[in-house]
Amino acid sequence: MFGEKILDYWDDIMKDLGDIIAIPSVAQPQDGPYPFGKDAATAVDKAIEIAERYGIKTKNSDYYAMHAELGEGEENAVVMAHLDVVPAGEGWDSDPYTMVIRDGKAFGRGVSDNKGPAIVALHCLRALKEAGVVGKRKLRVVLGSAEEIGMQDMGHYFSKEQMPTMGFTPDACYGVCHCEKGLFRFAVTGKVGKKIVSFKAGTVVNAVPYKAEADVLCDDDEFAKLVEAANAAEVKFDITRTENGAHIVATGKAAHASTPEIGINAAAHLARLLVNVFGADCGEFLTFMDEKVGLAYDGSNIGVKMSDEPSGALTFNLGLVNIENGEGRFDIDIRYPATKSGAEIDKILARAQASPTRSFPMSRRCTCRRTARSSACFPALMRTSPAKSATSSPWAAARMPARWAAQALRSAHRSMKKNRTHTRQTSASTWSSSSCTHKSALRPCTACLQRTDFEFRSAPLWNMHISCRRTFLKIPK
């Protein structure tokens, strides 16, 4: 099997991965030559260095992204991954930026999300090049530097580079994913009771907070109640008596915002403790957070619980909390089902905002992504995975092990070439309106923009003409 050839490069893969893990490439938007900070730019430089070391042509897109390219042709097949990471946070048993191997597993910030797949993809190009495989279109590995904070990198990159004719991204769970949930983020601000001096939790909104800290004012009786309630709680609390009150630290378990059920949200548990002990003295903001967010990770407390067959249940993560000087703010990350819309969630949240002392500043919304399972690319990718993948849930995502990655590129390439005419006809026929003659490489047609509620990115992408669909993602908000 050609895909097995990737294993010939295993030692180089591990060395290159260790080198790029050592770069703390947390994206931090800023002005100047490095749009997401020096560390993110250093990761782009390192990826270029690795690709060029193996004789692969590269291009730096203003440090927003880079690509490595093999072959020629008018069309291009693309593998997209990213080099930025979320902050390391706490709770590590080793240095998060020094990759270590334990029990046959690699540990380090970004090993799986998404530097590992990015490095493997570069070595796939190397394997194809050294084997002398010549395709009929360009093969590109596109590596961005700001996926974790909203993918502004891709908007810039595709404003200057060719859109993919086909492609996939090895950035999720193992298997093959043909749809992706929508993203909805919002924040709530409000006044806090005088009992709460400060409250801090979380480093990014798309992660379950591992630790939360608060300073409160309390007398001896209230301090005793705090200790008693903390001892009976499901999570660990460390409470220290201070001159006028107490300092409280809650310890939970970190997890990605897309899987909050496998984590323990320290912020939510700390809020529950404070409300249980101090009640209304916490102020309306904190009591609202405990009531409408609470310990649920499905949005049920605020009324947005929903699910569908293609993508599963909505997830609801309390990612950030900050209280100081009597003002509070918490930030929420929602991943909503592929067949639902952000507009539905918006209406529900509007009803939840019943008090003039609270506000819901919107952060951003992104539409769901879905590709028909009849698409030629889907079975091509499935054929590269073991037989068990065929029976896995249809929303299982696409992080393929290294041994199948190179074969996936070739298999998808052959299948898409063979079935391209059929795919165009099938996709275009999803419209009942007249056929699209729109040829712009920059924007979808007006009808498609209206039909997809583009301003809020809340309607399904598959309602677009195929020619418009391919250009949709590159348009800035």
Side-chain angles (χ1 to χ4, degrees), residues 101 155 289 349 355 408 433 442:
I101 308 297
M289 187 173 86
L349 293 178
S355 169
S433 61
L442 298 177

Side-chain angles (χ1 to χ4, degrees), residues 136-147:
K136 300 198 182 215
R137 52 176 63 85
K138 296 185 291 288
L139 292 178
R140 276 186 181 176
V141 172
V142 179
L143 304 180
S145 60
E147 189 272 349

Side-chain angles (χ1 to χ4, degrees), residues 183-203:
L183 177 65
F184 190 111
R185 289 176 179 168
F186 70 96
V188 176
T189 61
K191 299 289 185 181
V192 182
K194 294 182 179 179
K195 285 283 186 183
I196 313 301
V197 179
S198 67
F199 188 130
K200 294 186 182 298
T203 55

